[in-house]
Amino acid sequence: AAKQFGWAAKKAPANHGFGIGGGTEKGGFTATCAEVKVDSKTGEVNVVRLTSAFECGAIINPEHLENQILGSLVQGLGGALFEAVDFKDGKILNPLFGQYRVPRFKDTPAIEIIQLNRKDLPSAGAGEAPIVGVAPAIRNAIAAATGIRLKALPLVPNGVTVVKS
């Protein structure tokens, strides 16, 4: 993931940050690199691109796996940035789908997926496993761009902003 992302070859432009995160779930291994851009005046955070490598043993259906990985990355984007159930006085404030913020096309960055086909291993669960690297990669990219080390999800729920205090 880091090689394909250009981690060692590029420096982040001004107001941008690079981050990496990874992990394992259901017998699959993933690493994700993220580039974010932070508006220095408003603090608005935009994820510019994600590069994710995923290994889950022997790949049976590469096209289906590509779609599974893509879905996991987009779902991880929402959880990392803004998805949250809002409560007040014990009541849910956003109980309807129209009131719950999920990623939209405008939120989706350029995404590059690398499938590592390990024919020497049995197939493992792909499902949502690639999601585990998304939030850490975005969090680390925000920290690289701003110096702010966020510690709770969603990272930037209020209008997708980070403001230095």
Side-chain angles (χ1 to χ4, degrees), residues 87-148:
F87 294 93
K88 184 175 181 182
D89 299 326
K91 296 191 189 240
I92 298 174
L93 298 176
N94 56 343
L96 304 174
F97 286 122
Q99 298 168 324
Y100 184 81
R101 178 82 162 88
V102 295
R104 293 172 173 80
F105 287 120
K106 69 179 180 79
D107 301 314
T108 306
I111 295 176
E112 184 174 14
I113 295 169
I114 302 139
Q115 297 180 21
L116 302 169
N117 192 2
R118 293 288 309 270
K119 295 178 183 179
D120 59 318
L121 296 174
S123 298
E128 295 80 19
I131 199 172
V132 301
V134 178
I138 292 171
R139 182 265 186 199
N140 291 334
I142 292 169
T146 66
I148 299 168

Side-chain angles (χ1 to χ4, degrees), residues 26 54 56 61-76 113 115 125-131:
K26 298 181 181 177
F54 185 58
C56 60
N61 185 330
E63 187 176 337
H64 180 70
L65 181 58
E66 180 96 1
N67 291 329
Q68 288 289 104
I69 296 168
L70 180 59
S72 291
L73 297 176
V74 172
Q75 184 178 14
I113 295 169
Q115 297 180 21
E128 295 80 19
I131 199 172

Side-chain angles (χ1 to χ4, degrees), residues 19-44:
I20 191 166
T24 183
E25 180 66 34
K26 298 181 181 177
F29 297 86
T30 189
T32 299
C33 295
E35 177 181 354
V36 302
K37 178 182 179 185
V38 181
D39 185 301
S40 59
K41 291 183 177 125
T42 67
E44 182 177 355

